[in-house]
Amino acid sequence: MENKKKNKIEISKFEFEKTFIFSALIVAYFVFGLYIGENSAGAGGYNSDFKLIWDNLNLLKNGIITNLDNPLYNDSRPPLSYILHIFFNPFINDKDSFRISTFIISSIIPFLLFFSIKKKYSNLNFNIILILCLILTLSPYFRTTAYWGLGENYAFIFVILTSLLLENFKKDISIQSDLDLTLRIVLLCFLSSIVVYFDQKLILIPLFVFLSIIFSKINLRFKLLSIVLFVLFALPYIYLIYIWGAIIPSSAAKAREVGLTINFFHPIYCVTIIAFYIFPFLFMKDFTIVKLIKNNAKIIISLLILSLGYFFIVFYFYDFETLPLDGKGVFFKLYFLIFENIDVQIYLTLITFLTSIVIILLFFEHLTDFLIIFYFVILSLFTFPFYQEYLDPILLILLFTFLKVRLTFNKINIMFLITYFIVFSLGSNIYYKSIL
């Protein structure tokens, strides 16, 4: 009996040591990227997007209110991150110090994600949760943003905090005091609203929170309170829309053709990008694929026929050869690099698009999950260019926060997941080194 206990302790210790070493290697790889000035998303480097960030920061340092509508403010996102840096970051007078400070801020996100995964999967052991939260640091877009002071990562902090607070809000609502409910609602409305001031495309987060409050079993006065709070927290953004004349700064609105065009080919690429990220997680679903396809055959076939029709209509009206090379995801770039024949590129895009539809239908089960995915697809219609970074790493974060899909983890699928994203990370590095 004592030998069995001793063996269990030794095995547990060995597993922890392996996890610690492996996690340390992932963290070292993340830090090493900062040291070498990695640019695995195409937006890094002192003369690329960082230059725009640095110029914007110095512009607003000379007057925040007076420069909000300055044509020289060149960013597609609201200025909250710059404002917070100006007031609270003492390292904004030197480029390298600023980069290190934003790297440290981004490093908070995997730490927060650890608690989110722990809450959603309470039965998982520490080792698996640690590896899962560190997978985020393999994302080329998360890494490049962290290294070069870009603005995408800040919103993720508040997305995760909102998710954690929302779960606490839903738990045992009936036994919470009026004061406790009021404080939770105020915090929920505030944190979720803040997300939009970092990245307006994530307006789905406060919308999700608002609907969760409205459809919860709480007194009407608390629901009315949430409506008032969301209106109040929206007022600064309404002011920004007023002075910009658009939902994003005027210079970016012109460059991105906001409100001027509908990009009908973007949903095709949006769907393939979504499928690219959820594909490795498909093997963590507890189901038999053959049985699931059989049970949902009518829905899958109907959507495939509609998708096929959409594809041919879009490519009938749009000349594939004239599509801009910016954005559209990993498959578009891969086919463009490997195959010179346009017809081959189109056929492969069609196959990938239809396969992606099937993957999404197999992976998600809940209506709310499909609505979140549908939101990003609709968003792609009005976004130009549509970059892969608009879905990475937010999809990974949503999988462990707001999306209801449940996954089953073991050593084999965890290793497959890590290998998948390491290959993607290294491949992105090689790709951008070859073209920049």
Side-chain angles (χ1 to χ4, degrees):
M1 189 71 177
E2 290 181 2
N3 287 333
K4 287 183 178 180
K5 287 183 178 180
K6 185 178 179 181
N7 288 335
K8 285 183 179 180
I9 293 172
E10 288 177 350
I11 291 171
S12 177
K13 183 180 178 182
F14 178 67
E15 290 294 333
F16 176 78
E17 288 176 350
K18 284 199 303 182
T19 303
F20 179 80
I21 293 170
F22 198 67
S23 301
L25 289 173
I26 296 176
V27 172
Y29 175 51
F30 184 45
V31 176
F32 181 69
L34 174 68
Y35 176 73
I36 64 172
E38 179 186 313
N39 178 15
S40 53
Y46 286 106
N47 295 319
S48 188
D49 283 11
F50 179 78
K51 183 179 185 304
L52 300 178
I53 298 294
W54 188 251
D55 290 344
N56 290 334
L57 181 62
N58 285 297
L59 176 69
L60 293 179
K61 279 164 66 176
N62 294 324
I64 295 172
I65 302 298
T66 55
N67 286 306
L68 284 177
D69 59 345
N70 193 317
L72 295 176
Y73 178 71
N74 192 3
D75 200 318
S76 61
R77 293 177 177 81
L80 181 58
S81 60
Y82 298 108
I83 294 171
L84 293 178
H85 279 305
I86 290 168
F87 281 107
F88 301 109
N89 188 348
F91 305 105
I92 59 173
N93 296 314
D94 174 73
K95 291 181 180 180
D96 289 327
S97 298
F98 176 64
R99 283 183 57 211
I100 293 172
S101 70
T102 58
F103 172 77
I104 293 171
I105 293 170
S106 292
S107 300
I108 297 171
I109 300 170
F111 178 77
L112 292 175
L113 192 60
F114 177 92
F115 292 100
S116 183
I117 298 170
K118 184 176 176 61
K119 179 171 282 292
K120 186 171 184 177
Y121 297 97
S122 56
N123 293 328
L124 282 182
N125 64 45
F126 174 87
N127 296 348
I128 292 178
I129 297 174
L130 181 61
I131 295 296
L132 286 174
C133 73
L134 288 176
I135 285 174
L136 187 68
T137 66
L138 299 175
S139 158
Y141 304 94
F142 180 82
R143 294 167 68 87
T144 301
T145 297
Y147 303 149
W148 294 103
L150 309 183
E152 287 87 341
N153 287 354
Y154 303 125
F156 303 146
I157 295 174
F158 293 89
V159 169
I160 299 172
L161 288 175
T162 299
S163 171
L164 290 169
L165 187 59
L166 184 61
E167 286 303 310
N168 286 330
F169 168 78
K170 291 178 179 178
K171 188 177 180 180
D172 301 326
I173 289 179
S174 58
I175 64 172
Q176 294 174 21
S177 67
D178 286 358
L179 177 60
D180 190 37
L181 270 176
T182 301
L183 291 174
R184 287 172 188 261
I185 290 172
V186 171
L187 270 175
L188 267 175
C189 295
F190 175 72
L191 290 175
S192 60
S193 297
I194 285 292
V195 171
V196 181
Y197 288 90
F198 287 111
D199 193 342
Q200 57 271 64
K201 75 173 180 288
L202 294 180
I203 193 173
L204 69 94
I205 302 300
L207 178 60
F208 191 97
V209 170
F210 173 72
L211 293 175
S212 297
I213 294 173
I214 294 299
F215 289 105
S216 66
K217 297 178 180 179
I218 58 174
N219 193 285
L220 178 61
R221 68 178 185 274
F222 294 111
K223 297 179 182 181
L224 292 175
L225 172 63
S226 70
I227 294 173
V228 172
L229 288 170
F230 275 121
V231 170
L232 288 175
F233 293 141
L235 290 177
Y237 205 98
I238 293 172
Y239 172 71
L240 290 175
I241 293 174
Y242 171 74
I243 64 173
W244 290 338
I247 60 173
I248 63 176
S250 55
S251 58
K254 292 177 183 177
R256 295 173 183 270
E257 303 176 1
V258 174
L260 299 177
T261 59
I262 299 177
N263 305 287
F264 288 104
F265 54 87
H266 280 177
I268 294 170
Y269 295 107
C270 177
V271 167
T272 62
I273 294 170
I274 292 170
F276 174 80
Y277 287 102
I278 65 175
F279 173 73
F281 293 97
L282 188 64
F283 301 97
M284 302 175 186
K285 291 277 291 180
D286 188 15
F287 62 72
T288 302
I289 292 180
V290 175
K291 184 179 179 181
L292 192 64
I293 292 175
K294 186 178 179 180
N295 292 340
N296 298 278
K298 290 183 179 179
I299 296 175
I300 293 174
I301 292 171
S302 298
L303 285 174
L304 284 177
I305 292 172
L306 288 172
S307 301
L308 186 65
Y310 180 82
F311 183 92
F312 283 117
I313 290 171
V314 169
F315 278 89
Y316 178 80
F317 287 102
Y318 286 91
D319 186 357
F320 187 83
E321 293 185 64
T322 63
L323 292 181
L325 297 180
D326 287 347
K328 294 185 281 300
V330 61
F331 292 112
F332 173 80
K333 291 180 172 60
L334 193 62
Y335 299 153
F336 180 80
L337 285 174
I338 297 175
F339 304 101
E340 293 184 3
N341 189 296
I342 297 297
D343 291 334
V344 173
Q345 294 178 31
I346 293 174
Y347 290 139
L348 287 173
T349 300
L350 172 60
I351 293 169
T352 306
F353 175 54
L354 296 179
T355 304
S356 298
I357 294 290
V358 174
I359 290 173
I360 290 171
L361 291 174
L362 291 177
F363 187 74
F364 297 107
E365 302 172 27
H366 300 276
L367 177 61
T368 52
D369 289 359
F370 281 111
L371 289 175
I372 290 173
I373 296 303
F374 185 66
Y375 165 79
F376 285 113
V377 174
I378 295 299
L379 180 69
S380 70
L381 282 168
F382 306 98
T383 308
F384 179 85
F386 188 75
Y387 293 112
Q388 187 157 333
E389 66 191 69
Y390 296 160
L391 296 172
D392 180 341
I394 186 60
L395 276 178
L396 296 176
I397 292 172
L398 289 176
L399 277 175
F400 297 115
T401 53
F402 288 94
L403 291 170
K404 294 183 179 298
V405 61
R406 300 289 298 186
L407 304 171
T408 302
F409 301 99
N410 57 51
K411 292 179 183 178
I412 295 175
N413 60 38
I414 287 288
M415 288 306 300
F416 172 70
L417 190 66
I418 293 167
T419 304
Y420 186 89
F421 284 106
I422 286 177
V423 170
F424 176 48
S425 178
L426 295 174
S428 296
N429 263 298
I430 295 169
Y431 172 78
Y432 283 106
K433 279 184 178 179
S434 66
I435 68 170
L436 295 177

